[in-house]
Amino acid sequence: MNDHSRGAGTDADVAIAYYNKEDKLCLWLIEHKLSEKEFTTCGAYKSKANKSKNNCTLCNLTDIAKAPQKCHYHTIGYKYWDIIKRYLDRFQGSIEIKGCPFKDGLNQLWRNQMLAFALQETGTYDTVTFSVCHHAKNTMLDKSINQYKALTDNDSMFGSFTNNDVLNAVNTHDSELQKWLQWYKEVYCFG
């Protein structure tokens, strides 16, 4: 996606490779957000080098997808808009956001989704999906998660779940997994 440098770049906290029921290799990218109030917002929108900030507030998703040079990310060589053009049909849901939907809290969700698409396009994985795991008591992220789900029309390419969902899914007597479960509780189940 051409966005990595020493201090920045799109990545996921967890990547789980697995074989699906058809024995095809798949990848699940997961971003953990536990105590944060919001997802990472758009660095291009905040950048002093961005001479076209009006585009961020005046142009919608379709406007920028048709003319990606309106986005500072695109002018500095990031490939997000090149990728989304191939998947624009998956971003047709209705949301009430003025301007680019990715300038605020949806930015990190969008970039992670573009990473998933880019990895799938390599041909290594049959399917690459992206999810967010957030602390069950952290409702501050709900607005962005729900807006993103609405924008993608609840497409299965994106999902969200809580740390409690992880705990409830692990039901085993395996001692090694129990050790991991205890560690997970200590690290991710505060409060």
Side-chain angles (χ1 to χ4, degrees):
M1 294 192 325
N2 205 34
D3 71 346
H4 274 258
S5 66
R6 284 187 165 191
T10 303
D11 58 23
D13 293 326
V14 178
I16 299 173
Y18 64 94
Y19 287 95
N20 66 13
K21 291 178 183 178
E22 291 83 38
D23 204 33
K24 294 180 180 176
L25 183 62
C26 300
L27 189 66
W28 183 17
L29 302 178
I30 304 170
E31 181 68 28
H32 265 83
K33 288 291 186 188
L34 299 168
S35 60
E36 294 94 336
K37 293 179 181 180
E38 183 58 278
F39 295 98
T40 304
T41 59
C42 182
Y45 179 54
K46 295 183 284 189
S47 174
K48 292 178 182 175
N50 183 355
K51 304 299 181 205
S52 303
K53 287 187 187 203
N54 284 343
N55 290 337
C56 304
T57 55
L58 299 176
C59 298
N60 64 26
L61 171 64
T62 305
D63 296 335
I64 301 171
K66 287 180 180 175
Q69 68 277 9
K70 292 181 176 184
C71 177
H72 186 66
Y73 274 150
H74 191 77
T75 63
I76 60 174
Y78 294 0
K79 304 296 183 191
Y80 311 138
W81 290 102
D82 295 334
I83 297 168
I84 199 171
K85 277 184 178 183
R86 297 187 291 275
Y87 299 92
L88 205 53
D89 61 318
R90 297 178 92 166
F91 292 85
Q92 297 300 313
S94 177
I95 59 172
E96 297 297 321
I97 293 180
K98 185 178 178 189
C100 178
F102 309 123
K103 69 182 177 300
D104 296 314
L106 302 191
N107 184 268
Q108 184 176 14
L109 299 173
W110 172 58
R111 288 185 298 108
N112 278 99
Q113 193 70 64
M114 295 307 101
L115 175 61
F117 289 147
L119 287 168
Q120 187 167 320
E121 287 178 356
T122 67
T124 303
Y125 305 100
D126 181 65
T127 304
V128 181
T129 55
F130 165 59
S131 295
V132 170
C133 177
H134 62 96
H135 195 283
K137 293 182 180 177
N138 183 358
T139 58
M140 294 178 283
L141 300 172
D142 290 352
K143 179 180 178 186
S144 289
I145 290 171
N146 291 333
Q147 284 180 323
Y148 193 75
K149 285 180 178 180
L151 179 62
T152 61
D153 220 5
N154 290 304
D155 192 300
S156 61
M157 67 185 178
F158 173 74
S160 66
F161 56 95
T162 70
N163 58 330
N164 287 344
D165 294 327
V166 173
L167 297 176
N168 293 334
V170 178
N171 183 9
T172 183
H173 298 289
D174 179 295
S175 63
E176 289 301 312
L177 195 51
Q178 287 297 326
K179 288 178 189 174
W180 176 86
L181 192 58
Q182 186 58 40
W183 168 84
Y184 189 88
K185 286 178 183 177
E186 290 170 7
V187 174
Y188 295 115
C189 297
F190 52 87

